[in-house]
Amino acid sequence: MNPLEKKKFKRIRKELLSNARGKVLELGSGTGINFPYYEKVEAVTAIEPSQHMIERSQAKRKQAVVPIEIVQASAEELPFAANTFDTVVATLVFCTIPNPEKAILEMKRVCKSGGKILLFEHVKMENRFLSTLQDWLTPVWKKICDGCCLNRNTIDLLKAHDISVLKVQNYYSDLFIFAEAENKK
Ligand SMILES: C[S@@+](CC[C@H](N)C(=O)[O-])C[C@H]1O[C@@H](n2cnc3c(N)ncnc32)[C@H](O)[C@@H]1O
């Protein structure tokens, strides 16, 4: 994804993260690519299950202008008290989480009522031919891309869990989405 990252994703990440406020939780922070883009927030707690990724993300953590703590954990079992965070961020991660329903319930629990949920994800497309192609490719794609599901409908999953989706912007037709949502309790 490196060419896409440089050409387009960098700008999308910056715009998305400029909406983050207060205490932020980032799910599946990977190499820490988002860390330098946080500006007007109090602090960021990033969770990431892979020790290897946590080590790789230390360099980006040092570049950040806000305090960043990285905790080894999975989105399905967040080691935080209810109503801890003002904003939850997930970028290119809901496609990989094995149990996204459980992760959404956990995200709702630890995010304050009225808190922001900011997402940048690739999702199942509307076009029937393309979404069928995504279904067809997913089993192989999952094997070669660390469990990544090409056909996950993350926006519908949020709505099914009573999260108010306020804004969705599409990129590359509707393969990638940028979404702002509000946690309701
Ligand atoms: C495609 S990478 C995206 C990394 C980063 N968020 C970004 O925007 O580039 C997916 C990340 O999700 C992490 N991940 C996998 N399973 C997870 C889970 N159950 N909970 C949280 N993160 C998970 C992976 O270890 C990996 O770092």
Side-chain angles (χ1 to χ4, degrees), residues 59-136:
K60 294 280 185 203
R61 190 176 64 80
K62 287 177 192 149
Q63 288 172 22
V65 296
V66 300
I68 305 224
E69 180 193 19
I70 310 169
V71 176
Q72 189 167 23
S74 293
E76 294 97 326
E77 258 178 78
L78 295 172
F80 310 111
N83 307 316
T84 300
F85 298 100
D86 301 288
T87 307
V88 180
V89 170
T91 65
L92 306 178
V93 69
F94 265 100
C95 51
T96 309
I97 294 174
N99 187 338
E101 288 88 357
K102 204 169 172 204
I104 289 174
L105 290 174
E106 277 293 83
M107 176 171 84
K108 280 192 69 155
R109 181 183 67 78
V110 302
C111 184
K112 293 176 186 170
S113 185
K116 285 186 188 193
I117 295 168
L118 303 174
L119 302 182
F120 171 50
E121 296 285 344
H122 66 75
V123 292
K124 186 159 180 164
M125 300 173 85
E126 287 285 327
N127 177 287
R128 214 156 157 190
F129 169 74
L130 293 173
S131 68
T132 305
L133 190 63
Q134 286 178 305
D135 288 340
W136 187 74

Side-chain angles (χ1 to χ4, degrees), residues 13 26-31 33-34 47-50 53 73-76 91-93 96-98:
R13 289 178 191 279
E26 180 173 333
L27 304 176
S29 50
T31 58
I33 192 156
N34 291 328
I47 66 108
E48 168 56 53
S50 155
M53 285 294 185
S74 293
E76 294 97 326
T91 65
L92 306 178
V93 69
T96 309
I97 294 174

Side-chain angles (χ1 to χ4, degrees), residues 117 119 154-160 162-169 177-184:
I117 295 168
L119 302 182
T154 304
I155 293 296
D156 280 2
L157 281 175
L158 293 182
K159 289 180 181 165
D162 222 16
I163 291 176
S164 306
V165 178
L166 306 173
K167 177 179 166 188
V168 178
Q169 235 163 275
I177 53 107
F178 164 124
E180 283 182 45
E182 186 183 319
N183 195 26
K184 270 199 195 156

